[in-house]
Amino acid sequence: QVTLRESGPALVKPTQTLTLTCTFSGFSLSTSGMCVSWVRQPPGKALEWLALIDWDDDKYYSTSLKTRLTISKDTSKNQVVLTMTNMDPVDTATYYCARMRGGYYHFDYWGQGTLVTVSS
Amino acid sequence: EIVLTQSPGTLSLSPGERATLSCRASQSVSSSYLAWYQQKPGQAPRLLIYGASSRATGIPDRFSGSGSGTDFTLTISRLEPEDFAVYYCQQYGSSPPFTFGQGTKLEIK
């Protein structure tokens, strides 16, 4: 059974760095082809893809946000971490992590999401 | 960057009716790289269709996907009360790898 769960602060101040952790089970990021991505959704708005890390430690980022994002993994802990620097109120959103399997190009399992509010 | 435009923005239909949702890409997308998701309020997106026309595990056969190139369609043959939600298309491309459409809200008429 595949599960993912996001964790991190519910509230961050402008200019601060956000660190989110995705803890997953039911698969391993050391398995060839496995990937974990981060996707966010501002309240009432559409989904926005942020970053992806694969089993081989290759990393991919949103063009518009890549200077602010860092994705990393800890395979032994079954965790993927996303950091986003210089947070702004427009970054207020629900942040999801999701799994993608090799050979496929969609997200088959999602976490429940964590709402991050950026406010002073 | 490939932009996905979904239409209509809102679709008002009654249970039992047929729903047709459109997703148009700014450049050609391989059919293998087009997916559809359903999202209900307060919930994470749920994968419905991948590879443009393959249903995900557990998805009822009233949901079907079609299309190629720049035009893709999600069809719900007979709407059930639980189908009223927001639907997103998603594509895999080069840089950035993934983009989503802006969503179509399917509401009860």
Side-chain angles (χ1 to χ4, degrees):
Chain A
Q1 178 190 3
V2 174
T3 65
L4 303 98
R5 186 181 74 252
E6 306 86 353
S7 59
L11 179 66
V12 297
K13 290 179 167 39
T15 76
Q16 286 187 335
T17 294
L18 171 68
T19 300
L20 295 173
T21 300
C22 175
T23 303
F24 56 87
S25 63
F27 68 99
S28 172
L29 249 185
S30 60
T31 300
S32 178
M34 284 298 177
C35 309
V36 171
S37 232
W38 287 92
V39 176
R40 73 177 179 179
Q41 184 174 39
K45 296 189 177 181
L47 301 166
E48 178 184 19
W49 177 78
L50 299 177
L52 179 144
I53 190 165
D54 70 16
W55 81 102
D56 207 23
D57 210 34
D58 291 321
K59 302 160 187 176
Y60 304 87
Y61 296 102
S62 160
T63 303
S64 60
L65 292 168
K66 62 183 177 182
T67 61
R68 299 173 54 205
L69 295 174
T70 302
I71 191 170
S72 62
K73 64 182 175 73
D74 186 331
T75 305
S76 65
K77 293 183 178 179
N78 281 351
Q79 290 182 333
V80 170
V81 174
L82 181 75
T83 62
M84 181 180 291
T85 61
N86 195 24
M87 292 292 285
D88 183 271
V90 300
D91 297 313
T92 293
T94 297
Y95 287 75
Y96 296 98
C97 59
R99 185 188 85 158
M100 187 180 83
R101 287 187 298 158
Y104 296 91
Y105 303 93
H106 56 265
F107 306 108
D108 56 356
Y109 287 93
W110 295 66
Q112 85 281 5
T114 186
L115 175 62
V116 178
T117 300
V118 185
S119 175
S120 55
Chain B
E1 173 179 334
I2 296 178
V3 176
L4 298 179
T5 301
Q6 294 186 239
S7 61
T10 302
L11 184 58
S12 300
L13 293 170
S14 301
E17 290 192 294
R18 180 185 187 91
T20 302
L21 287 67
S22 173
C23 176
R24 178 162 291 178
S26 59
Q27 304 171 42
S28 185
V29 173
S30 168
S31 296
S32 300
Y33 301 161
L34 197 288
W36 290 91
Y37 301 85
Q38 176 193 67
Q39 188 179 34
K40 297 180 180 179
Q43 296 184 16
R46 177 174 73 144
L47 177 67
L48 295 176
I49 300 287
Y50 64 93
S53 60
S54 297
R55 274 187 301 276
T57 303
I59 301 303
D61 60 7
R62 65 180 181 273
F63 290 91
S64 63
S66 63
S68 63
T70 59
D71 290 299
F72 297 88
T73 300
L74 174 70
T75 302
I76 311 172
S77 58
R78 294 173 309 279
L79 285 166
E80 298 287 343
E82 62 267 27
D83 298 336
F84 292 91
V86 179
Y87 292 84
Y88 294 96
C89 55
Q90 170 250 310
Q91 68 85 33
Y92 167 81
S94 54
S95 183
F98 302 95
T99 54
F100 290 90
Q102 84 280 16
T104 289
K105 181 179 181 181
L106 179 57
E107 64 176 23
I108 299 177
K109 187 174 182 179

